[in-house]
Amino acid sequence: MSHLLIEGGRPLVGRHKVYGAKNAALPILAATVLARDTFEIENVPDLLDLKIMIAILHALGARVRREGTTLYVDTREIHRTEVPEELMGQMRSSLFLMGPLVARYREATLYRPGGCAIGTRRIDFHVEGLRRLGARVVEEGGRIEARALALRGATIVLPYPSVGATENLMMAAALAEGTTRIVNAAREPEIEDLGRFLNAMGARVYGAGEATIVVEGVRELRGTRHRVIPDRIVAGTFLFAAAITGGDVVLEDARPEHMEAVLDLLATSGAELEVGADTIRLRGKLPPRPLPRVVTAPHPGFPTDLQPQLVTYLTQSEGTSVVVETVFDGRFRHAEELVRMGAKIYVDQRTAVIEGPTRLKGERVRAYDLRGGAALVLAGLAAEGTTRVYGLTHIDRGYMRIEEELAALGASIRRVSATREEEAAG
Ligand code: UD1
């Protein structure tokens, strides 16, 4: 089976250019459905999740063409409002089509979305929010139908600052009659980016990136040009990779202001950081200092999407660290794999206690989700001997050619592709 083959123990050294954020590009692509026009969207990473989103847009009747990192989207001939079930099942972000389709075409048919198995991932905030805006949403046997003669602005109080629900509702509200207030909105940088994109389309979105977002609905939106923000999670993953190998890496095209909690934590652990306007240099110091209590939280807190990478890093620290996962309820699967590599990690529901330092040993390990997979790659970089990481479809959803990018920084890592017979044999 395809896997990454890693010989550990080499410090990462060099410069790495951060590409565009998958989690910003996905809702932005969904938002193009709000207009019948043409768009130019730059800095879109060529990742599996984006391919699925593009396939969904095609299925609806849009045209999407890629030139390098720029996507040219033409939504003038959209003629379908049903997202194919097979594509829905491949990615949770397919849910982003619900708000835009119902707002622009008054109807949307979707199916239960797939996505990383990192806990129970409900969609009730999306559905309830759209109902508040006047949509009729019926769910039957995994099929979700949303309809509305017209959406009307309303105040929506989110029970939790959900990133996806905030984005879905912002998009729907952009074409609703009157004013919508989203209270307890998520404040992630990707939401700010979506707000900028919608406003460039002619929307009136105020406060994207703050806890209350106000959207004054407009009648029509138009095409625009936009550059997607850099991926702070990929940037963070490379910083942890540099730190865990005692390396010296400069990130280019980064947005340090989107990563304050991560940079603070790395500095507290002993890594040396030099932060420029769009560069971050990290020099790793091994062993890192342990961190007595890190709690993942919505932005601007420490991101859950870097929790697995952090846990891997802390296996190298001298002493006991504690990491509490508050965003998702099933996100420590990587810990079991790390333990197989020699880590001492004790997980109790949402809390992981990590005893360091441990010398990680090369093993055959499996990625069960995207960021957990990245964490295993980092473990392989730090381990003694040979590590083989399986489950690459997860990793490829969020990292572009991860082996090439790490090899360019001096890592010994390559992709071993399975023969067709081996793939078929599972
Ligand atoms: C987004 C990110 C994902 C990240 C997560 C949290 C994208 C494409 N994905 O996912 O990488 O890990 O934010 O930063 O941007 N919840 C409900 N009901 C809902 C919606 C959410 O109970 O209707 C719960 C979830 O189960 C979870 C929590 O809210 O426990 C946060 O989820 P949410 O912020 O919505 O994450 P996503 O948008 O799915």
Side-chain angles (χ1 to χ4, degrees):
M1 284 229 280
S2 299
H3 60 274
L4 292 173
L5 181 70
I6 308 169
E7 295 290 340
R10 298 198 188 185
L12 298 192
V13 179
R15 302 177 84 82
H16 172 75
K17 214 171 151 120
V18 183
Y19 43 80
K22 154 178 105 68
N23 286 355
L26 287 169
I28 284 172
L29 279 180
T32 63
V33 165
L34 287 164
R36 288 179 83 82
D37 208 344
T38 58
F39 297 80
E40 192 178 325
I41 305 167
E42 295 167 21
N43 208 24
V44 181
D46 194 8
L47 293 167
L48 199 54
D49 275 7
L50 269 310
K51 291 193 174 97
I52 299 169
M53 182 56 88
I54 292 168
I56 292 175
L57 290 174
H58 281 152
L60 300 178
R63 290 180 192 189
V64 186
R65 184 166 55 86
R66 178 182 277 279
E67 266 177 42
T69 58
T70 302
L71 290 184
Y72 296 89
V73 183
D74 183 343
T75 55
R76 286 173 300 184
E77 285 172 31
I78 285 188
H79 52 80
R80 247 184 100 169
T81 54
E82 176 174 342
V83 180
E85 185 168 9
E86 189 238 326
L87 293 171
M88 279 296 303
Q90 293 181 30
M91 173 180 75
R92 182 167 167 92
S93 299
S94 45
L95 198 58
F96 286 142
L97 272 314
M98 184 154 68
L101 280 175
V102 80
R104 180 65 184 74
Y105 295 98
R106 298 165 198 268
E107 57 174 38
T109 303
L110 296 93
Y111 298 84
R112 273 265 150 194
C116 276
I118 52 178
T120 34
R121 300 179 79 176
R122 291 153 55 103
I123 63 167
D124 48 337
F125 307 159
H126 299 250
V127 169
E128 285 309 317
L130 281 177
R131 285 188 178 138
R132 292 278 305 158
L133 294 176
R136 210 175 139 254
V137 188
V138 184
E139 202 185 338
E140 230 184 77
R143 183 182 158 100
I144 307 160
E145 275 191 16
R147 283 186 205 289
L149 285 179
L151 293 181
R152 271 177 314 278
T155 293
I156 302 166
V157 182
L158 291 177
Y160 183 87
S162 152
V163 177
T166 302
E167 292 169 338
N168 223 338
L169 297 172
M170 272 165 80
M171 294 190 275
L175 283 181
E177 273 169 33
T179 303
T180 298
R181 286 158 53 84
I182 306 172
V183 180
N184 197 25
R187 293 184 283 161
E188 269 66 4
E190 292 74 21
I191 287 169
E192 244 181 283
D193 207 31
L194 176 64
R196 266 192 299 272
F197 180 72
L198 290 171
N199 287 343
M201 288 177 73
R204 294 196 188 139
V205 178
Y206 307 95
E210 294 166 29
T212 299
I213 299 176
V214 177
V215 184
E216 284 171 12
V218 297
R219 282 183 157 274
E220 209 179 11
L221 295 167
R222 56 179 181 270
T224 186
R225 209 173 140 174
H226 181 81
R227 186 173 176 80
V228 172
I229 55 169
D231 196 313
R232 64 197 166 94
I233 304 301
V234 170
T237 302
F238 276 76
L239 291 181
F240 279 110
I244 199 172
T245 58
D248 182 353
V249 168
V250 179
L251 297 184
E252 294 171 355
D253 262 0
R255 292 286 289 274
E257 71 273 27
H258 292 167
M259 305 177 60
E260 280 176 6
V262 177
L263 299 178
D264 275 2
L265 183 147
L266 280 162
T268 309
S269 77
E272 275 177 29
L273 287 158
E274 274 170 46
V275 175
D278 64 355
T279 58
I280 303 169
R281 177 176 186 177
L282 181 140
R283 270 172 288 191
K285 292 274 171 286
L286 292 173
R289 284 194 281 272
L291 301 172
R293 190 178 159 83
V294 183
V295 181
T296 65
H299 194 76
F302 186 84
T304 172
D305 284 353
L306 285 172
Q307 175 263 102
Q309 299 87 320
L310 167 70
V311 167
T312 304
Y313 177 51
L314 291 174
T315 63
Q316 302 306 299
S317 69
E318 209 150 68
T320 306
S321 301
V322 176
V323 176
V324 184
E325 172 60 60
T326 70
V327 181
F328 290 107
D329 56 13
R331 207 172 192 177
F332 280 122
R333 194 85 193 260
H334 46 282
E336 293 165 30
E337 299 297 290
L338 292 170
V339 166
R340 297 184 46 230
M341 295 178 73
K344 290 190 185 137
I345 306 173
Y346 309 95
V347 175
D348 181 20
Q349 301 196 9
R350 289 176 178 247
T351 303
V353 177
I354 304 126
E355 301 280 2
T358 43
R359 192 97 187 91
L360 297 177
K361 299 249 186 312
E363 252 302 344
R364 286 170 180 258
V365 287
R366 172 163 295 277
Y368 291 101
D369 64 85
L370 163 56
R371 308 302 172 184
L376 297 178
V377 173
L378 302 200
L381 297 177
E384 223 170 51
T386 309
T387 298
R388 293 172 195 266
V389 182
Y390 294 82
L392 300 190
T393 42
H394 293 295
I395 299 178
D396 292 338
R397 286 180 47 191
Y399 295 90
M400 268 204 286
R401 295 178 292 278
I402 192 166
E403 69 282 8
E404 287 174 29
E405 303 228 311
L406 289 169
L409 295 171
S412 170
I413 175 170
R414 67 189 170 88
R415 184 177 295 247
V416 179
S417 297
T419 61
R420 241 180 243 155
E421 298 84 72
E422 281 174 330
E423 265 325 350

